[in-house]
Amino acid sequence: FFKTLSSLPLKGVGINEWIKNKNSHIFISYLDKMANIDSYNFLESPYWGSLPKILERDSKRSNWIHIFVKDNYLKNPKEASIHLKNMNKFGSQFQSHAALYSFMNFRVLYRVFNDLFKLFLNSFKIQFENNLPELCGFQLWDIYEKDILSSAYGQTCADNLLNLNLFEEAFQYLNNPRNCSYLLENQGWELSMLSSWRRYTKSQAIGFCHATVRFWDLRYFSNKDQYLDNSDLSKPRPDILAVNSSDAYSLFKKEKYP
């Protein structure tokens, strides 16, 4: 609730530009580390390098959803709002920029509370404690109880539902998008975004591993059986996985990533 209130300055920022910019490439990125980026001309990105400049050079349209992350340059949502407005007003005619919280409205909040209430009621049907195994004499429930309940109907669940409904609100306005590229770190918002993307479009989703991939980092790898699961309840994953080095490519191949 506090996060929603504090993000109100971002509400509505860039939505008109988002709707008008049709037949475009969609990018989901973070809004931070912008101190050395020209707010009037978004041609360089701390995450995407010179890609915005290349798209501009080739007259390729792009729509950007920025997830605001507070830092020493953009200290609060109000400053982030001003930054995005400047990019839309003075920047490239081929770009549009909005924050994820730009799409906040009463319809989104209603859906979040409705979904959360349904999950809370259905959680009583699940015997969480009985479904966790005992490991070397330790009851895993005693260790993971707080995390599991938060994910089932608590704060983590509410955050994920908010992201899901915000992305659904944003993607319903899309008109023939070419593809969607996003920063792949296997954060909770990525699964919400992929689920929403599948619902509203048939275009490809491209996950970009922008950072070094470490063999022990379980955020990037799943059980191999999950890669074979094509059911409706399978874990969402991108159509294309993009990496930034040959070492990362070899590591994913070794782990049998499809």
Side-chain angles (χ1 to χ4, degrees):
F1 182 73
F2 175 76
K3 183 187 295 186
T4 301
L5 285 179
S6 64
S7 299
L8 284 179
L10 292 167
K11 182 179 180 297
V13 175
I15 289 184
N16 290 334
E17 291 82 0
W18 171 268
I19 296 174
K20 293 176 182 177
N21 202 10
K22 301 177 180 179
N23 196 29
S24 61
H25 301 271
I26 310 300
F27 290 90
I28 317 295
S29 190
Y30 293 110
L31 185 62
D32 65 339
K33 304 177 182 177
M34 303 293 286
N36 298 318
I37 304 298
D38 184 357
S39 62
Y40 293 160
N41 202 8
F42 183 67
L43 298 179
E44 297 285 338
S45 165
Y47 297 102
W48 302 92
S50 299
L51 181 58
K53 180 187 291 186
I54 295 172
L55 293 171
E56 167 78 8
R57 181 197 65 194
D58 296 340
S59 300
K60 302 292 186 182
R61 296 190 177 277
S62 60
N63 282 9
W64 296 76
I65 290 182
H66 301 273
I67 299 174
F68 170 61
V69 179
K70 182 175 67 174
D71 63 8
N72 290 330
Y73 180 69
L74 297 177
K75 300 181 179 64
N76 53 62
K78 184 176 181 180
E79 292 184 2
S81 173
I82 295 172
H83 190 90
L84 291 173
K85 289 177 181 177
N86 285 338
M87 287 198 291
N88 283 324
K89 185 175 182 180
F90 302 107
S92 168
Q93 61 176 323
F94 296 105
Q95 297 177 0
S96 77
H97 299 274
L100 182 58
Y101 278 83
S102 296
F103 300 94
M104 178 68 67
N105 56 41
F106 287 112
R107 182 171 56 250
V108 167
L109 291 176
Y110 170 79
R111 293 200 300 253
V112 170
F113 283 115
N114 187 52
D115 292 342
L116 189 61
F117 181 68
K118 290 179 180 178
L119 286 174
F120 176 74
L121 292 181
N122 282 283
S123 67
F124 292 104
K125 302 177 184 178
I126 305 174
Q127 300 296 321
F128 293 108
E129 184 175 359
N130 295 336
N131 289 325
L132 284 180
E134 182 178 303
L135 183 64
C136 299
F138 289 98
Q139 293 292 337
L140 293 182
W141 175 252
D142 296 335
I143 301 174
Y144 293 109
E145 177 182 3
K146 183 178 179 180
D147 291 334
I148 291 174
L149 295 183
S150 178
S151 297
Y153 53 77
Q155 179 65 51
T156 302
C157 180
D159 287 341
N160 290 335
L161 289 174
L162 181 57
N163 288 332
L164 174 68
N165 284 283
L166 286 171
F167 278 118
E168 288 188 347
E169 186 71 14
F171 291 158
Q172 70 173 331
Y173 295 112
L174 292 177
N175 189 340
N176 193 28
R178 293 181 176 272
N179 50 48
C180 175
S181 301
Y182 68 97
L183 301 174
L184 191 149
E185 297 176 347
N186 277 325
Q187 303 289 339
W189 67 261
E190 299 173 40
L191 303 183
S192 300
M193 183 276 296
L194 287 171
S195 296
S196 303
W197 182 257
R198 298 279 186 263
R199 178 179 180 182
Y200 286 97
T201 81
K202 296 186 180 300
S203 301
Q204 288 184 325
I206 304 170
F208 172 48
C209 294
H210 63 99
T212 302
V213 179
R214 300 160 291 272
F215 72 91
W216 44 262
D217 194 337
L218 297 181
R219 294 180 303 167
Y220 292 105
F221 306 106
S222 299
N223 185 290
K224 295 179 178 61
D225 291 339
Q226 286 191 349
Y227 298 144
L228 303 176
D229 185 2
N230 294 316
S231 68
D232 292 338
L233 297 179
S234 62
K235 180 181 178 181
R237 64 173 184 266
D239 300 294
I240 297 175
L241 177 67
V243 295
N244 62 2
S245 70
S246 58
D247 288 339
Y249 178 82
S250 299
L251 189 56
F252 277 105
K253 291 291 288 184
K254 181 180 178 181
E255 295 298 323
K256 308 297 182 183
Y257 192 94

